[in-house]
Amino acid sequence: MKGDQDLYTLQPIASLTMADQVEAQLHEYIIKRAIRPGDAIPKEQELADALGVSRNVVREALSRLRMLGLIDSKKKRGMILTRPDVMKGLERILHPAILDEQVRKQLFELRLVLEVGLGDLIFARKTEVHLKKLDAIVERERKATTQIEKIRCELDFHSTLYEMAGNDTLKRFQTILLPVFEYVVEYESKLQHTSVGSVTHADLVKILYSNNAEEFPNAMRKHLSPHFQHL
Amino acid sequence: MKGDQDLYTLQPIASLTMADQVEAQLHEYIIKRAIRPGDAIPKEQELADALGVSRNVVREALSRLRMLGLIDSKKKRGMILTRPDVMKGLERILHPAILDEQVRKQLFELRLVLEVGLGDLIFARKTEVHLKKLDAIVERERKATTQIEKIRCELDFHSTLYEMAGNDTLKRFQTILLPVFEYVVEYESKLQHTSVGSVTHADLVKILYSNNAEEFPNAMRKHLSPHFQHL
DNA sequence: ATGGTACTTATGTAGTACATAATATTTAAT
DNA sequence: ATTAAATATTATGTACTACATAAGTACCAT
């Protein structure tokens, strides 16, 4: 058709609801004014009046910010800004069942990337206690008879690595991603027998006992190599 | 009304609002029923009646889910489930100014982890076009005179690496994290002159031209070593 | 001062009414 | 009869009011 090119100039109609706009404005308000956690923000009715919308709309916008952990509200105290919880939004969405197949795959790749790169944080912060814990898991895995027990050890081992990294945000991220991983692992196991990588958990622990951070990334790459094959 | 209750039995009161509970229930409803994107969900009034709350409350809950990208709503068509946008919630929160200092630091560490571990995805998906693009950036950087131009090249280079990984979720994640990085880099630059790592961008490109994925993680570690020192 | 009482205030919830836009239905026109 | 226009229908979006509830505040009595 002739007019097709012209169509590109058309932008998707904004069609933002009032609540959307109010949310955006409040967000900007918070950021621009550099409001510190603990500070109070205007009352709902004041905001409604100032913005020229109904309190209802303001509440919808505030409800979203509250969900994100940006604000907290008490009955009479009004609303105060809180330290936003970075991972809160992710928690609600990252449920394997409602994720696109492709996104699931991408999140799984993200996990591989994280674990390969995790080395330096671990080496910087590992303690004897951590290493002993890994030893125990490896030992438990060696004795494990059932498949379920082995999988549990697998999860424990890698979770402990994230713990050792001493980065709460990262650890939390991993926890949120866990169900996605399980989902993908199950899918992979149907695809082919997940051969164990040439580097075992025991090998990884040995490297961690040494102080040779250089070896870690490639060791982990080899450990995860069965998964990398699916790229 | 009656006498006082035993204080020991008092638990940290949850004090969930109706909207909170409705949100949780709707969330569960969506997941349990395995509703596929495109499917319709009941009307607001129906939900309100079924849950025994006012439509107002239902709307607050729906508003949150809509913000997360879980549902979409058109005027008459009702509401339909959509593919949730994994990163949407993060986008709104990850503004450096409102983040805890510690969280900022942790996110910056996350970036280091990501880039060190990024190698295998890049090697699996890199193309000639990508490599040429990196060449161009390195060349631009070599000729750069101002500090600003150099920093821009720095950002472009690393952004391109994420692009090469061919993982949209990951790329998006990096884009969202960018402002946080800038914030931290500025902070670091005050702390001490950010000496360039012993491995340059040109060195990294050379490795990417070769097909030796083994070298990448440690090369990147050395490249980023000035940042790692702040651990 | 201490403790209680009543008052005040801001959020939370309910309910009604209407605007708006998209669909469905009916009517009109060629 | 098929198409086009007008109309009715319906679900979301917005506004407004009213009241419940909890958390401060002030005031009072002992």
Side-chain angles (χ1 to χ4, degrees):
Chain A
M1 298 265 184
K2 243 195 225 159
D4 272 5
Q5 277 182 326
D6 295 335
L7 285 176
Y8 284 124
T9 64
L10 294 179
Q11 293 180 5
I13 295 280
S15 142
L16 289 173
T17 67
M18 293 282 179
D20 292 331
Q21 298 175 51
V22 170
E23 184 208 335
Q25 284 212 40
L26 287 178
H27 203 268
E28 192 182 359
Y29 171 86
I30 290 173
I31 289 175
K32 279 214 171 177
R33 302 240 172 166
I35 301 180
R36 308 279 299 172
D39 292 355
I41 53 181
K43 301 153 198 140
E44 294 180 352
Q45 192 58 59
E46 288 175 11
L47 290 171
D49 294 343
L51 293 164
V53 297
S54 97
R55 189 160 83 96
N56 220 327
V57 169
V58 172
R59 278 189 64 80
E60 275 195 33
L62 288 173
S63 174
R64 301 178 189 178
L65 299 182
R66 195 160 40 238
M67 183 201 57
L68 293 178
L70 262 171
I71 61 175
D72 193 13
S73 53
K74 290 270 158 62
K75 262 294 161 68
K76 151 108 189 234
R77 183 107 183 221
M79 290 167 298
I80 58 171
L81 205 66
T82 61
R83 295 242 179 265
D85 190 334
V86 183
M87 295 296 164
K88 208 154 194 178
L90 275 187
E91 266 174 1
R92 321 207 176 204
I93 290 188
L94 258 51
H95 202 286
I98 57 176
L99 284 183
D100 191 341
E101 167 70 28
Q102 193 186 1
V103 173
R104 279 203 300 268
K105 191 160 177 259
Q106 292 183 346
L107 288 173
F108 188 72
E109 289 179 9
L110 179 54
R111 176 228 174 180
L112 300 179
V113 170
L114 285 175
E115 302 206 359
V116 169
L118 210 54
D120 287 84
L121 295 188
I122 295 177
F123 273 93
R125 291 162 185 163
K126 69 189 162 82
T127 67
E128 278 298 316
V129 178
H130 286 136
L131 291 170
K132 289 273 185 283
K133 187 173 175 187
L134 287 182
D135 280 335
I137 294 172
V138 169
E139 180 63 16
R140 228 176 71 214
E141 191 179 21
R142 200 176 58 78
K143 288 180 185 163
T145 51
T146 68
Q147 194 64 22
I148 293 178
E149 178 66 11
K150 282 182 184 171
I151 290 177
R152 193 169 299 160
C153 289
E154 169 80 19
L155 290 177
D156 283 350
F157 186 86
H158 288 269
S159 291
T160 304
L161 291 184
Y162 283 91
E163 265 174 39
M164 294 172 75
N167 182 318
D168 280 352
T169 302
L170 185 51
K171 178 72 180 83
R172 190 113 179 268
F173 196 38
Q174 184 251 354
T175 304
I176 295 172
L177 257 46
L178 259 181
V180 180
F181 299 159
E182 289 168 8
Y183 209 84
V184 175
V185 167
E186 194 174 332
Y187 163 78
E188 274 189 354
S189 68
K190 283 175 193 158
L191 214 80
Q192 71 172 57
H193 278 288
T194 48
S195 57
V196 181
S198 52
V199 171
T200 66
H201 286 163
D203 296 330
L204 288 173
V205 174
K206 200 181 298 174
I207 292 174
L208 290 175
Y209 265 109
S210 82
N211 276 323
N212 195 348
E214 285 238 348
E215 286 185 34
F216 188 88
N218 281 313
M220 182 58 86
R221 286 180 61 236
K222 291 196 186 97
H223 178 66
L224 297 173
S225 61
H227 300 299
F228 276 118
Q229 283 169 13
H230 294 273
L231 294 187
Chain B
M1 297 186 119
K2 205 107 171 269
D4 7 309
Q5 298 177 344
D6 194 342
L7 282 175
Y8 295 143
T9 66
L10 294 180
Q11 293 172 10
I13 194 147
S15 153
L16 288 173
T17 66
M18 293 282 181
D20 291 331
Q21 299 176 49
V22 171
E23 183 208 336
Q25 284 213 39
L26 288 177
H27 203 268
E28 192 182 357
Y29 171 86
I30 289 172
I31 289 175
K32 279 214 171 178
R33 302 241 171 166
I35 301 180
R36 308 281 297 173
D39 291 355
I41 51 182
K43 300 151 197 143
E44 292 180 354
Q45 192 58 58
E46 288 175 11
L47 289 172
D49 294 342
L51 293 164
V53 297
S54 94
R55 189 161 83 97
N56 223 327
V57 169
V58 172
R59 278 189 64 80
E60 276 195 34
L62 288 172
S63 174
R64 300 178 190 178
L65 300 183
R66 195 161 39 239
M67 183 201 56
L68 292 179
L70 263 171
I71 61 174
D72 193 12
S73 53
K74 291 268 158 61
K75 264 291 161 67
K76 150 106 190 237
R77 183 111 183 217
M79 289 168 300
I80 59 171
L81 205 67
T82 62
R83 296 239 178 265
D85 190 333
V86 183
M87 295 297 164
K88 208 153 195 179
L90 276 187
E91 268 176 359
R92 321 206 177 205
I93 289 187
L94 259 51
H95 201 285
I98 57 176
L99 284 182
D100 191 341
E101 167 70 28
Q102 195 187 1
V103 173
R104 278 204 301 269
K105 191 161 177 260
Q106 292 183 346
L107 289 173
F108 188 72
E109 288 179 9
L110 179 54
R111 177 229 175 180
L112 300 179
V113 170
L114 285 175
E115 300 204 1
V116 169
L118 210 53
D120 286 85
L121 295 189
I122 295 177
F123 274 93
R125 290 162 185 164
K126 69 188 161 84
T127 66
E128 278 299 316
V129 179
H130 286 136
L131 292 170
K132 290 272 185 287
K133 188 173 174 187
L134 288 183
D135 280 335
I137 294 172
V138 169
E139 182 62 14
R140 226 177 74 215
E141 191 179 21
R142 199 177 58 78
K143 289 181 188 163
T145 52
T146 68
Q147 194 65 20
I148 292 179
E149 178 66 11
K150 281 182 185 172
I151 289 177
R152 191 168 301 160
C153 288
E154 169 79 19
L155 291 177
D156 283 350
F157 186 87
H158 287 270
S159 291
T160 304
L161 290 184
Y162 283 92
E163 263 174 41
M164 293 171 75
N167 183 318
D168 280 352
T169 302
L170 184 51
K171 179 72 180 84
R172 191 114 177 265
F173 196 37
Q174 183 252 354
T175 304
I176 294 171
L177 257 47
L178 258 182
V180 180
F181 298 159
E182 290 167 9
Y183 210 84
V184 175
V185 167
E186 194 175 331
Y187 163 76
E188 274 190 353
S189 67
K190 284 175 194 158
L191 213 81
Q192 71 171 57
H193 279 288
T194 48
S195 59
V196 180
S198 54
V199 171
T200 65
H201 286 163
D203 296 330
L204 288 173
V205 174
K206 201 183 296 174
I207 292 173
L208 291 175
Y209 265 109
S210 82
N211 277 323
N212 196 347
E214 287 239 347
E215 288 185 34
F216 187 88
N218 282 313
M220 181 59 85
R221 286 181 60 238
K222 291 193 184 100
H223 177 67
L224 298 173
S225 60
H227 301 298
F228 276 118
Q229 283 169 13
H230 295 271
L231 293 186

